[in-house]
Amino acid sequence: NAISQAGNSTFQPDFAWMKSRSAATDNALYDAVRGTTKELISNTAASESTLTEGLTTFGTAGFTVGSDAAVNTNTSTYVAWQWKAGGAGSSNTDGSITSTVSANPTAGCSILTYTGTGVAATIGHGLGLTPKMVIVRERSPGGDDWYVYHVGLTSASYSLFLNTAAARSGPSAAYWNSTAPTSSVFSLGTSVGVNQNTATYVAYCFADVEGFSKFGKYTGNGSANGPMVNCGFLPAFVMVKAVSTGNGWNIVDTKRDTYNPVSAQLAANGADAEMWKHTPTNTNVRPGKGWIDEQGTQHPGNWYIWSVQEKADHGLVEIVEESPPDSRLYWWSQNNDGTITSTAKAVEDVNEVDE
């Protein structure tokens, strides 16, 4: 089943992240450096899998998938976030560990693979820009977390974990050797999650590019009128994680939500179907979509079959749409007694003449 980028600027993606919107299935991540059919799951610590019915081809304007449930269940709806890097990659010796790098400095993203040594090291990322976010995942033997360096953390002595809702962890030199990335390399400590001897890894690196991508931090205020975060452009994809508390990696985008408020959430660390994050009071909640109320309680997408009382108990008031306007034409005539008679005519009868 070929998936095209109709309606977008078409390109051959090198990194595709897919998630079912309508069903509780895993986040499926594929890239051109590890190769097609090689799946990693962002919401678990499972090692890399080879799925012949997963993503099978990266094409010139999209990709092709097989019948695996995470990417192609009949009647399920999906979203795919895609990045263009530099193809299958080439050898990079900028760091103390040789890496295979696929980089696109113009878009500020690179994909790379390497083999761990068990001692502190550096890895070339090929961007020529300083990464603001680095995601590292052990491919084999696996079983460890997804480690995340982010510029918004206190320092390079801290890490987040993409597959969990846990708050930041640290300080520790085991993650990034307590050393921030440079324009040529990022650093590794000795944690098995990023640098176990003979283990294989993949890393996704992202840098700020004016008008295209931005990475940073903000402080929440707990108000419905929250802080305004100025990216300098209209972002198409936003992922947010609370670093000081245990909240998930929430993802919104402008393809699933085409107008404000943007509230259709998926989570990098969860398999749940798409949820609508808002207070239903004075807000339209779409039938068939789950939602999260002001107390943080998740409600299923089949809420619309609740009784009138059940809906009221949850703050939902069903608004019955008005009947569509009558599109017929009316011909009027005055009777001898002064009353008015109207006769409805269909539009196609507009040239009809009354006797």
Side-chain angles (χ1 to χ4, degrees):
N1 188 20
I3 311 298
S4 70
Q5 298 160 346
N8 299 282
S9 298
T10 56
F11 60 90
Q12 179 164 327
D14 297 307
F15 177 27
W17 180 341
M18 290 166 279
K19 176 69 183 78
S20 173
R21 303 173 59 187
S22 54
T25 59
D26 293 322
N27 289 262
L29 282 69
Y30 294 84
D31 64 72
V33 180
R34 292 182 297 119
T36 56
T37 74
K38 303 295 185 182
E39 182 186 81
L40 285 169
I41 301 171
S42 67
N43 50 283
T44 75
S47 58
E48 179 181 272
S49 299
T50 299
L51 298 178
T52 57
E53 294 298 326
L55 186 149
T56 58
T57 306
F58 285 110
T60 56
F63 55 88
T64 301
V65 294
S67 59
D68 182 69
V71 296
N72 189 19
T73 295
N74 188 34
T75 73
S76 289
T77 57
Y78 293 84
V79 62
W81 305 296
Q82 302 164 71
W83 289 262
K84 173 65 178 172
S90 58
S91 180
N92 182 298
T93 58
D94 290 343
S96 60
I97 294 177
T98 298
S99 55
T100 299
V101 178
S102 173
N104 183 352
T106 302
C109 68
S110 70
I111 308 161
L112 62 96
T113 57
Y114 65 92
T115 300
T117 62
V119 297
T122 56
I123 303 288
H125 53 68
L127 284 177
L129 303 166
T130 300
K132 303 298 184 181
M133 184 176 185
V134 178
I135 304 173
V136 175
R137 179 68 178 94
E138 185 182 7
R139 302 168 59 192
S140 177
D144 214 311
D145 292 319
W146 289 72
Y147 284 68
V148 181
Y149 163 84
H150 195 282
V151 68
L153 294 172
T154 305
S155 72
S157 294
Y158 292 82
S159 184
L160 291 166
F161 305 101
L162 188 66
N163 58 302
T164 79
R168 67 189 171 210
S169 178
S172 172
Y175 309 134
W176 317 109
N177 203 27
S178 298
T179 305
T182 71
S183 60
S184 58
V185 300
F186 66 91
S187 297
L188 300 175
T190 57
S191 169
V192 296
V194 296
N195 192 15
Q196 180 180 348
N197 188 34
T198 72
T200 58
Y201 298 85
V202 64
Y204 304 107
C205 303
F206 302 92
D208 282 349
V209 174
E210 186 175 359
F212 184 78
S213 58
K214 187 69 176 177
F215 302 83
K217 63 181 180 179
Y218 66 91
T219 301
N221 60 17
S223 169
N225 184 20
M228 190 277 180
V229 180
N230 186 0
C231 297
F233 59 93
L234 176 64
F237 171 94
V238 176
M239 182 162 65
V240 176
K241 171 73 177 78
V243 301
S244 56
T245 59
N247 290 302
W249 296 78
N250 294 317
I251 301 173
V252 295
D253 61 69
T254 57
K255 286 301 177 183
R256 292 178 298 126
D257 261 324
T258 57
Y259 54 86
N260 290 320
V262 175
S263 55
Q265 292 191 359
L266 290 167
N269 62 296
D272 290 341
E274 184 175 88
M275 299 294 290
W276 288 78
K277 179 79 172 181
H278 55 213
T279 302
T281 304
N282 297 324
T283 305
N284 291 328
V285 185
R286 299 181 189 178
K289 298 295 183 182
W291 51 276
I292 303 175
D293 64 23
E294 60 269 37
Q295 283 78 40
T297 302
Q298 293 188 356
H299 298 282
N302 66 347
W303 60 267
Y304 59 91
I305 65 173
W306 291 345
S307 67
V308 173
Q309 185 58 52
E310 286 176 314
K311 292 176 183 176
D313 290 343
H314 289 83
L316 295 173
V317 178
E318 188 168 3
I319 300 174
V320 179
E321 294 185 2
E322 296 180 0
S323 300
D326 192 338
S327 61
R328 295 176 296 175
L329 299 174
Y330 281 84
W331 292 13
W332 304 84
S333 60
Q334 186 171 6
N335 303 316
N336 292 332
D337 60 2
T339 59
I340 300 294
T341 298
S342 64
T343 303
K345 299 290 185 181
V347 173
E348 56 267 24
D349 296 334
V350 68
N351 293 320
E352 182 179 323
V353 176
D354 271 347
E355 297 296 333

